[in-house]
Amino acid sequence: MDKKSIIGIVLIFAILVVFSVINRPSKEEIAEAKRVSDSIAQVELEKATRAKLQEELQQNTQQQELSQVAPEIQSEESVLKEREGKFGEFAKASVGEEEFYTVESNLYKIVFTNKGGRIYSIELKGYSTNDSLPVVLFDGPATKFGLNFFSNNKIIQTEQLYFSTDLSPNTTISGPVVKKGNEGKIKKNEENPGESETVSFKLELEPGKFLEYVYTISHNSYIVDFDINMEGLNSVIAPNTASLNLIWSYDLPRQERISKWGEDRYTELNYKFYEGDVEKIRQGKADKEDLSTRTQWIAFKQLFFNSTIIADDYFSGAQIESNPFEENPDYLANFKADIAIPFTGSPRENFGMSFYFGPNHYQTLKQYDIELERLVYLGYAIVRPVNKYIIIPVFNFLRKYLHNFGLIILLLTIFIKTLVFPFTYKSYVSQAKMRALKPEIDEINEKYGKDKAMEKQQATMALYKRVGVSPMGGCLPMVFQMPILFAMFFFFPTSIELRHQSFLWASDLSTYDSILSLPFSIPMYGDHVSLFCLLMTVSTIISTKLNPQTANSSAMPGMQSMMYIMPIMFLFILNSYPAGLSYYYLLANLFTIGQTYLVRRFVDEDKIRAQLLMNKKKPMKKSGFQARLEEMAKQRGTQPPKKRR
């Protein structure tokens, strides 16, 4: 090997050594990499532990189902001995007979079961489904509710255990007649014990060692208070347990007519962070989220009803899961919440919470002061205040004096059209000015032709400036009206007040009014004909034809065709939307047509043109900025040049 080769190898080796030294991670980077690695390992360990827990839960459930038959062929002692291996100290509570207890208030009927000490079903009074059946939020053994925890290396599921109770089979809660929707804020009902019923289910292992569920049901309130009391269970529950898992899950039954723009669209799992914002899980798709921060409430929401669990303070965390059902005629989705209940290991433990079982009525939900009213979707952030501070107050005011919702929507339309009339009038006047300048615009177009678009645009803008016309004058007023237009689009589909309210041929203003069922389904349109939607489309086309802006659209190729295509598009979109919305748009179009004829009588376009021509002859007024520029240029021109040194 020659000298040059040896020098080259040495240099390469030296470069590699220097490169490795320069790129060697610092102590902080090594520590950060170790922390990330440990975090990943911890996450993987938690996943493995959770998977193992789920597997053991499934095995326990299967064994529990199989063991239900055992008491019929085995002696009580042998059954108890067998169950001690599965339930440990809870073995006696795993044997029993399921019994049901009914508690009724003026707003709902709750059925309890001693198996799990849980609510078996809840039926809302005063409401019916699309098939005229009672509205039942959940029902049946498929509903899951109970605590899960480890005891002596065994997974205990309280929903499999039998609780004792002193509740009579049927109880009715009575009280003074109070107007529906005037419930108080969430609080423990201790001031009027005569108007409430306390339901207690206790799972007692031995004297001084028990788990108790306490439900407080009050007259004229959709709130059910719920307390979990534990005494002496610190010796039973596995040590170092920081929290217990409260599992709540059920299938949401359909309440409304099947429609892709109806109940299916608004069924979702919502939650609110403690002192934070209201969020929701991804809509319409199977999804799950890990709420690792404090959470105030979790809501299983449908279009017009919801079941919400609310912490007196907060839940330390939760895992929520949504699994929608596709093309299921009976159920919409399965929602599940795995909620962390704090456990300190003290001899006595208590955790307070509440349930809301009721309608998605804005005023009813708003009074609880925990943002439950956000379950009523009022649109995007820009239109939500319009609904919140204008539409809903006016709508509620009209409801105090009227019971016909067709008339209420009519008066609401009159109010809105009156409110935006100044903008409408200003837009019409601006369009009249543009029409008055049509001869001058045609002259500019003829002068510059199609090849000089820039010069033509500059000449047009110069004309507008000289006569004092703003080309945006007709657009800006319309922009100001858009939030109200969109606010109504979100208001009507979520208004429970319209539910099962009839008007003319529409039997229910909260859903589409079908006057003809088609033997086939048209894409985007559906398999029915909505008359209100059809009339709305016709009125929109007439209103578009009368709109002065349509006549001026000849300068913009394709614009006139687009203005007529839009109503046809909305015919397909709104055919399955609530009849109340199409009825409102129909009324709005009729009022717009009337306003157009009215304004034409008071706006003299010949007079407007004469005024514009006078403005054209006047010397063009310079802007303040332009005047200052000319003054500066003039001063520079009169100053003597500076001498060079």
Side-chain angles (χ1 to χ4, degrees):
M1 184 179 293
D2 58 5
K3 183 178 180 180
K4 291 183 179 180
S5 299
I6 295 175
I7 293 173
I9 293 173
V10 171
L11 288 175
I12 292 173
F13 179 75
I15 290 172
L16 291 175
V17 171
V18 173
F19 181 80
S20 62
V21 171
I22 293 174
N23 289 274
R24 183 174 58 186
S26 64
K27 294 182 179 180
E28 291 79 6
E29 291 175 336
I30 294 174
E32 177 64 17
K34 186 176 184 304
R35 187 189 66 80
V36 172
S37 177
D38 293 342
S39 299
I40 295 174
Q42 180 65 25
V43 170
E44 295 297 329
L45 180 61
E46 290 179 358
K47 287 183 179 179
T49 304
R50 185 172 292 276
K52 182 179 180 182
L53 178 62
Q54 292 294 337
E55 183 180 354
E56 292 181 4
L57 284 173
Q58 291 178 359
Q59 292 176 356
N60 282 355
T61 302
Q62 294 173 357
Q63 292 174 357
Q64 174 70 9
E65 292 175 353
L66 293 174
S67 64
Q68 296 294 330
V69 188
E72 300 179 3
I73 58 176
Q74 297 178 355
S75 65
E76 183 178 350
E77 292 183 0
S78 60
V79 170
L80 197 58
K81 184 177 180 181
E82 177 186 346
R83 297 201 174 189
E84 283 180 354
K86 302 172 185 176
F87 297 96
E89 295 190 46
F90 295 87
K92 289 183 179 180
S94 67
V95 181
E97 183 177 348
E98 188 170 17
E99 297 177 349
F100 299 95
Y101 308 86
T102 302
V103 179
E104 292 191 54
S105 74
N106 61 320
L107 299 181
Y108 47 69
K109 179 170 68 175
I110 298 181
V111 177
F112 292 93
T113 173
N114 65 329
K115 187 176 182 181
R118 65 179 177 87
I119 299 175
Y120 185 84
S121 69
I122 181 161
E123 173 188 324
L124 296 182
K125 295 183 177 181
Y127 296 99
S128 60
T129 66
N130 182 62
D131 299 325
S132 300
L133 299 174
V135 169
V136 177
L137 298 182
F138 56 86
D139 185 19
T143 303
K144 295 183 179 297
F145 182 82
L147 290 174
N148 290 356
F149 53 86
F150 281 98
S151 175
N152 296 325
N153 296 323
K154 298 176 179 61
I155 298 177
I156 304 301
Q157 298 173 275
T158 61
E159 66 179 18
Q160 298 178 351
L161 307 177
Y162 293 89
F163 289 63
S164 61
T165 182
D166 294 331
L167 182 66
S168 59
N170 293 285
T171 303
T172 301
I173 303 172
S174 61
V177 178
V178 183
K179 188 175 180 181
K180 189 175 180 180
N182 288 342
E183 304 89 337
K185 297 177 183 178
I186 294 177
K187 59 182 179 181
K188 303 300 179 185
N189 193 310
E190 298 174 352
E191 299 178 357
N192 300 309
E195 300 174 14
S196 65
E197 178 72 20
T198 298
V199 179
S200 173
F201 286 91
K202 182 178 289 187
L203 194 159
E204 190 169 18
L205 304 181
E206 59 183 61
K209 187 181 295 186
F210 62 84
L211 168 65
E212 183 183 33
Y213 294 160
V214 180
Y215 303 87
T216 303
I217 303 164
S218 302
H219 176 80
N220 211 69
S221 176
Y222 287 111
I223 292 294
V224 177
D225 292 326
F226 177 56
D227 289 290
I228 299 177
N229 300 323
M230 290 176 283
E231 186 168 331
L233 294 188
N234 57 315
S235 62
V236 177
I237 297 177
N240 301 323
T241 299
S243 63
L244 310 179
N245 292 71
L246 178 63
I247 308 297
W248 188 29
S249 173
Y250 67 84
D251 296 342
L252 282 74
R254 287 187 179 275
Q255 315 289 356
E256 317 301 328
R257 175 189 285 179
I258 297 177
S259 172
K260 64 179 180 179
W261 301 114
E263 195 175 20
D264 295 76
R265 182 183 183 187
Y266 290 95
T267 297
E268 57 193 19
L269 202 160
N270 295 66
Y271 55 92
K272 181 185 181 299
F273 290 114
Y274 180 69
E275 297 181 346
D277 201 3
V278 176
E279 304 287 347
K280 64 182 179 181
I281 206 167
R282 187 169 56 173
Q283 188 181 39
K285 296 182 179 180
D287 197 8
K288 60 177 63 176
E289 286 191 24
D290 188 355
L291 311 181
S292 57
T293 58
R294 297 175 177 178
T295 306
Q296 189 170 13
W297 52 257
I298 299 172
F300 295 177
K301 176 207 162 189
Q302 297 176 242
L303 175 57
F304 292 127
F305 306 97
N306 77 85
S307 301
T308 303
I309 187 168
I310 309 155
D312 284 0
D313 294 318
Y314 54 81
F315 302 117
S316 55
Q319 285 188 333
I320 56 176
E321 185 174 349
S322 170
N323 291 290
F325 299 143
E326 294 184 4
E327 299 181 357
N328 190 315
D330 300 318
Y331 293 93
L332 293 156
N334 175 269
F335 287 164
K336 179 182 179 181
D338 185 346
I339 304 170
I341 303 298
F343 182 77
T344 63
S346 302
R348 290 186 178 182
E349 300 271 350
N350 172 269
F351 190 83
M353 63 193 91
S354 302
F355 292 100
Y356 175 89
F357 299 122
N360 295 336
H361 182 252
Y362 186 84
Q363 295 300 119
T364 301
L365 296 169
K366 187 176 185 297
Q367 64 191 330
Y368 297 122
D369 291 338
I370 51 174
E371 296 189 74
L372 280 177
E373 70 274 11
R374 291 290 299 275
L375 294 176
V376 181
Y377 186 62
L378 298 179
Y380 309 123
I382 192 173
V383 302
R384 190 182 304 126
V386 177
N387 273 322
K388 186 176 180 180
Y389 298 110
I390 299 177
I391 305 303
I392 291 179
V394 174
F395 186 81
N396 290 336
F397 173 79
L398 295 174
R399 283 193 63 204
K400 292 180 180 179
Y401 304 99
L402 300 172
H403 300 287
N404 186 308
F405 279 84
L407 185 57
I408 290 174
I409 296 175
L410 172 62
L411 294 179
L412 181 64
T413 307
I414 294 175
F415 169 78
I416 293 173
K417 297 300 289 185
T418 303
L419 189 66
V420 302
F421 180 74
F423 300 104
T424 305
Y425 180 79
K426 187 173 182 180
S427 176
Y428 186 91
V429 171
S430 179
Q431 292 170 9
K433 291 179 179 180
M434 299 291 288
R435 288 196 305 275
L437 292 175
K438 188 175 186 304
E440 284 73 14
I441 298 296
D442 292 341
E443 184 179 341
I444 292 174
N445 292 336
E446 184 178 352
K447 179 179 180 181
Y448 293 99
K450 297 181 180 180
D451 299 332
K452 299 180 179 180
M454 181 63 69
E455 290 85 348
K456 180 170 61 175
Q457 182 69 18
Q458 291 175 347
T460 303
M461 296 305 296
L463 173 65
Y464 289 155
K465 185 176 182 181
R466 188 171 187 83
V467 299
V469 173
S470 172
M472 298 299 294
C475 300
L476 290 178
M478 297 300 296
V479 171
F480 292 140
Q481 298 180 53
M482 293 303 291
I484 294 181
L485 180 68
F486 283 108
M488 305 307 292
F489 182 80
F490 292 109
F491 171 74
F492 282 105
T494 59
S495 296
I496 192 173
E497 293 88 347
L498 300 180
R499 190 174 185 267
H500 295 177
Q501 297 293 332
S502 61
F503 180 67
L504 297 179
W505 57 83
S507 59
D508 187 350
L509 289 173
S510 70
T511 185
Y512 57 84
D513 56 311
S514 176
I515 61 165
L516 178 64
S517 296
L518 303 176
F520 50 85
S521 180
I522 302 175
M524 291 290 295
Y525 184 76
D527 58 358
H528 64 275
V529 176
S530 171
L531 182 55
F532 271 129
C533 183
L534 193 61
L535 294 175
M536 180 270 298
T537 302
V538 174
S539 64
T540 304
I541 293 175
I542 296 174
S543 177
T544 302
K545 186 175 182 61
L546 294 176
N547 189 349
Q549 192 172 357
T550 308
N552 289 342
S553 62
S554 57
M556 302 179 67
M559 179 59 69
Q560 190 169 8
S561 300
M562 179 60 66
M563 296 182 73
Y564 285 109
I565 290 175
M566 289 298 293
I568 305 300
M569 292 176 59
F570 278 106
L571 171 65
F572 280 79
I573 295 173
L574 298 180
N575 188 61
S576 296
Y577 266 76
L581 178 64
S582 298
Y583 171 56
Y584 164 76
Y585 283 151
L586 169 63
L587 292 176
N589 287 335
L590 294 178
F591 278 104
T592 299
I593 293 171
Q595 286 178 346
T596 301
Y597 281 110
L598 182 64
V599 172
R600 281 182 178 180
R601 295 189 60 181
F602 290 95
V603 177
D604 189 342
E605 296 191 8
D606 293 334
K607 186 176 180 180
I608 290 176
R609 175 168 174 78
Q611 181 63 45
L612 293 178
L613 293 178
M614 289 181 60
N615 294 342
K616 185 178 179 182
K617 295 177 182 179
K618 293 179 181 179
M620 188 173 180
K621 186 178 180 181
K622 301 175 182 179
S623 65
F625 179 72
Q626 185 177 1
R628 287 193 295 272
L629 285 179
E630 292 181 357
E631 182 65 23
M632 291 173 61
K634 184 177 180 181
Q635 291 178 0
R636 289 178 180 175
T638 57
Q639 288 178 354
K642 295 181 179 180
K643 296 180 179 181
R644 295 182 180 179
R645 294 183 178 179

